[in-house]
Amino acid sequence: MSPTLSLFYFLSFLTVLSALMVVFARSPIHSVLYLILTFFCLSGHYILLNAQFLAAVNIIVYAGAIMVLFLFVIMFLNMKKEDEESKTNLTKVAAVIVAGTLGVILVGAFRKSQVGTYNPYAHDSQVGMVESLGHMLFREYLLPFELISILFLVAMTGAIMLGKREVGERHF
Amino acid sequence: MMQQTPPIPEIIQAIPLQSYLILSTALFVIGIIGVLTRRNAIVIFMSIELMLNAANLLLIAFSSYKSDASGQVFVFFIMAVAAAEVAVGLAIIVMIYRNTRTIDVGFLNKLKW
């Protein structure tokens, strides 16, 4: 087995394992830490797929910004005590059955479908580099790119409005 | 001519696209299990992030295999929207905690029936 192949299987195994630990970890802090591990594994996948720019963005935006926000809120809310989950075992079993059925159906459909593969003659391995993505982003997708900035402005205003303390309300 | 074009990445030659389909399906299913079984609003939120990342992985895999940059631009936009979503969602969770002293979604049943 070539090193790349074994690296792929190792990364996939680690990704699925840490994703499972996100769901099944008891304390939310552990969930966040496992989610960060998942994001790093996914960045490894992106690098293997030659999407260097998105691998860097994934680490900066997800593992850097979003996860810090999660950690911040968890530490704000002081959820050290492991409050017992109020869901019954029946609900949990039903949830796992529903999700597992969806997974089996999807995998079955994928096995029957023709997803194609790469074209060895017209393949461009530089497609995930900053240069080609920048050309794409600032030519064909210029309007969505500008709309994203408006979305951020709206989201920032909304977050501040939601998080603001009303007069007489308690802090936390 | 041949030395001008960089070689095709080894992973694309070695791994069929189906493997990435199955990997991201697994991530998506784990996310669904998290949303359906957990009660903690923040863990539910993290499971949603997991599902978003499954979609991202699939988009990047297809984009790399078909050498089409549009998929990766979409992933960029998904990441931006996810960042905005997390900011607003966590603000809502903080507000819920401030009003009810809990973030167990089982207690938020006023709109149930």
Side-chain angles (χ1 to χ4, degrees):
Chain A
M1 197 187 269
S2 74
T4 321
L5 209 58
S6 41
L7 189 60
F8 169 77
Y9 284 120
F10 174 70
L11 270 180
S12 306
F13 175 73
L14 204 59
T15 313
V16 172
L17 192 71
S18 50
L20 280 173
M21 291 304 291
V22 171
V23 173
F24 294 118
R26 298 305 307 172
S27 102
I29 290 276
H30 291 169
S31 286
V32 170
L33 294 178
Y34 281 118
L35 194 56
I36 292 174
L37 182 61
T38 315
F39 287 155
F40 273 98
C41 294
L42 282 172
S43 277
H45 276 295
Y46 297 166
I47 289 172
L48 277 181
L49 283 168
N50 227 5
Q52 267 87 343
F53 174 65
L54 284 174
V57 168
N58 194 41
I59 288 185
I60 293 169
V61 172
Y62 267 112
I66 294 183
M67 287 300 109
V68 167
L69 211 57
F70 269 106
L71 273 179
F72 207 67
V73 168
I74 287 175
M75 292 182 177
F76 244 161
L77 301 189
N78 192 20
M79 296 185 303
K80 279 201 302 290
K81 61 173 190 341
E82 299 177 1
D83 41 352
E84 192 43 52
E85 303 267 326
S86 51
K87 266 192 184 163
T88 60
N89 277 330
L90 180 68
T91 332
K92 288 184 177 174
V93 170
V96 172
I97 287 174
V98 167
T101 314
L102 179 71
V104 167
I105 289 172
L106 281 176
V107 169
F110 294 151
R111 286 204 173 279
K112 293 278 180 196
S113 62
Q114 299 278 330
V115 289
T117 182
Y118 68 103
N119 181 355
Y121 303 108
H123 192 272
D124 178 16
S125 65
Q126 302 301 302
V127 88
M129 302 295 160
V130 183
E131 190 184 353
S132 81
L133 280 185
H135 276 253
M136 202 75 172
L137 191 60
F138 291 113
R139 284 198 185 132
E140 272 121 278
Y141 295 98
L142 185 59
L143 180 65
F145 182 76
E146 299 294 340
L147 287 179
I148 282 286
S149 60
I150 297 177
L151 175 76
F152 271 132
L153 189 66
V154 172
M156 196 170 68
T157 320
I160 292 172
M161 284 305 293
L162 282 171
K164 200 159 65 81
R165 193 171 62 96
E166 302 283 327
V167 179
E169 235 176 10
R170 57 168 99 79
H171 285 273
F172 273 103
Chain B
M1 195 61 195
M2 274 315 283
Q3 57 264 53
Q4 278 179 349
T5 56
I8 300 174
E10 204 183 326
I11 191 84
I12 292 182
Q13 299 176 350
I15 301 278
L17 194 43
Q18 232 98 11
S19 309
Y20 280 105
L21 280 174
I22 291 173
L23 174 61
S24 58
T25 307
L27 278 181
F28 194 82
V29 166
I30 292 170
I32 292 178
I33 291 176
V35 169
L36 291 180
T37 55
R38 296 305 296 264
R39 280 264 146 134
N40 191 326
I42 288 184
V43 179
I44 289 178
F45 219 52
M46 284 191 266
S47 305
I48 294 173
E49 293 301 311
L50 217 52
M51 291 197 276
L52 275 172
N53 271 280
N56 280 352
L57 177 66
L58 202 55
L59 274 170
I60 289 182
F62 269 99
S63 151
S64 277
Y65 273 70
K66 309 284 181 189
S67 65
D68 183 352
S70 295
Q72 305 199 7
V73 176
F74 286 147
V75 171
F76 186 71
F77 287 139
I78 291 176
M79 282 179 185
V81 172
E85 173 227 335
V86 165
V88 175
L90 285 177
I92 291 175
I93 288 177
V94 167
M95 202 188 62
I96 288 173
Y97 183 80
R98 198 185 283 154
N99 285 321
T100 66
R101 313 304 292 169
T102 178
I103 53 167
D104 189 328
V105 292
F107 290 107
L108 306 173
N109 53 6
K110 293 265 170 61
L111 288 177
K112 199 170 176 182
W113 300 116

